[in-house]
Amino acid sequence: MLVLAALATTGLSVGWIWNKADAVSPVALPSGNQAPIETVSPSVKPSETPTPFGKVLGTEMLAANNDTMPIMSSAWTNYDEQTGLWGGAAIWFIVHKNYDGKDHDWGNYAAFGQLAPDIPYKNTAAGLKEAAVQAGSRAIIGLYSKDVKILPGTTHKAITVGGHPGHELVAKVVVNEAGVKETFSTVMIAVIDRGNGTADVAVADIAGSTPAWQKVWRFKVSQIKINA
């Protein structure tokens, strides 16, 4: 995932979500050289309007705008949306059960919702890429912190979902957590134009040890239905 600038953080570990309310300290990350990464524009501020909520209904994540994305599988369970999406819903999957012997689980995370209206957006190749950077920045801060380390090799590519243009961003975040053998997490962001001046966003944070879920997430993104 992308490491980012100063938005308020929740103190949760990026890409790995604790399943206990008392386990909200950020991942301990080693220092090291970082390739430059794009950050949130200082002019972009979180909206003061209460964010609507999406929900998980059966086999789909339903955004507040009534767009849908299929869940990853029945093994994934409902979870609070933590990535700053507008009217989003989220699910997660346990990768390491009770990894520290203190009843804390480590898992993968996926969310779907609308691009927050306070993030500037234009339906152009450049606009979609910038929206992916902004949404990714907000997601990473919401799940990790602004101090998270990103490995070299962040990728961007244009995508199309149901005839709607989009942009995919993929980055790897350093993980160094006692009791967990993971060394990195792969964060994936997809922004899809809705055709009415707004965009949808899908987010995934996949453990380095479970790369097969990346392919599943891309397939589920391809099945997003837009009801604009």
Side-chain angles (χ1 to χ4, degrees), residues 112-225:
F112 174 69
Q114 188 172 318
L115 181 70
D118 59 337
I119 294 178
Y121 173 67
K122 292 183 179 179
N123 179 22
T124 63
L128 284 161
K129 180 178 180 179
E130 178 61 18
V133 170
Q134 299 282 354
S137 296
R138 189 165 293 186
I140 290 174
I141 289 178
L143 293 170
Y144 272 116
S145 80
K146 64 183 179 65
D147 299 318
V148 67
K149 305 296 182 181
I150 306 299
L151 293 170
T154 296
T155 64
H156 291 268
K157 72 175 182 179
I159 60 174
T160 302
V161 176
H164 293 256
H167 187 89
E168 180 191 277
L169 181 156
V170 179
K172 291 182 178 179
V173 174
V174 174
V175 172
N176 183 14
E177 177 67 20
V180 177
K181 295 181 179 179
E182 306 292 341
T183 59
F184 70 92
S185 170
T186 300
V187 177
M188 310 174 77
I189 308 292
V191 175
I192 303 107
D193 181 70
R194 301 183 69 243
N196 65 354
T198 65
D200 280 338
V201 181
V203 178
D205 193 356
I206 307 298
S209 65
T210 62
W213 285 113
Q214 297 179 33
K215 183 176 181 180
V216 175
W217 180 79
R218 285 191 169 103
F219 177 67
K220 301 300 182 178
V221 167
S222 75
Q223 295 181 309
I224 287 172
K225 293 182 180 179

Side-chain angles (χ1 to χ4, degrees), residues 1 6 9 16 19 31 50 55 104 109 123 150 159 162 165 169 219:
M1 300 176 175
T9 115
W16 314 107
N19 72 335
S31 60
K55 51 190 172 181
H104 296 147
Y109 174 91
N123 179 22
I150 306 299
I159 60 174
L169 181 156
F219 177 67

Side-chain angles (χ1 to χ4, degrees), residues 10-35:
T10 65
L12 294 177
S13 308
V14 177
W16 314 107
I17 306 302
W18 306 111
N19 72 335
K20 297 295 180 181
D22 61 346
V24 294
S25 58
V27 168
L29 299 170
S31 60
N33 295 328
Q34 281 288 101

